[in-house]
Amino acid sequence: TVEEATQSLIPLIGAKGMDWMYANCSVTAQRGALDWHQKFYDASLPVFKDLYESVKNGSETKRALDKNSQPDYRESLELELAEIRESEIWRAGETVRSLRPENNKK
């Protein structure tokens, strides 16, 4: 889950590296990583290629400058951000974060 990734896995990966993580996770997790990594790589590669190309050719910068230069930039941005913020997955994340022990001070 995202909660597990952000609260336990990513800090461990940052401290000890992915090689340590692979060597120290469950056999089920190791098997899953081995069996699924190529599908995730293949699925995400076109997205990253498009992203890098948009940076390389300047279209990412052009879009940011064009959008940020609009007189109604803040209002338009807020509408776009609200769409994400109000999505089911974002609301679920907010609920999960509220249940963390450090957020339940009595």
Side-chain angles (χ1 to χ4, degrees):
T1 66
V2 171
E3 187 70 7
E4 181 181 21
T6 61
Q7 297 303 298
S8 63
L9 299 178
I10 292 171
L12 277 172
I13 293 166
K16 300 185 182 240
M18 275 307 299
D19 54 338
W20 181 91
M21 180 63 69
Y22 282 132
N24 289 282
C25 65
S26 70
V27 173
T28 303
Q30 290 170 338
R31 188 73 261 153
L34 291 168
D35 293 347
W36 287 91
H37 84 277
Q38 193 62 50
K39 288 185 182 204
F40 280 95
Y41 178 86
D42 293 344
S44 61
L45 185 60
V47 174
F48 282 101
K49 282 184 175 182
D50 288 349
L51 170 62
Y52 284 116
E53 180 57 31
S54 72
V55 171
K56 183 179 170 184
N57 69 25
S59 62
E60 189 76 16
T61 302
K62 181 180 182 331
R63 179 164 167 75
L65 292 172
D66 289 347
K67 292 296 257 181
N68 297 349
S69 299
Q70 299 298 315
D72 67 341
Y73 164 69
R74 279 284 170 204
E75 295 82 10
S76 296
L77 177 64
E78 182 51 39
L79 290 173
E80 290 180 281
L81 292 173
E83 184 176 339
I84 293 171
R85 184 176 54 248
E86 294 166 8
S87 69
E88 181 180 5
I89 195 165
W90 248 246
R91 290 188 328 246
E94 183 177 34
T95 300
V96 168
R97 287 188 302 280
S98 75
L99 299 172
R100 291 179 185 159
E102 65 268 22
N103 294 329
N104 284 316
K105 306 223 175 6
K106 298 193 182 200

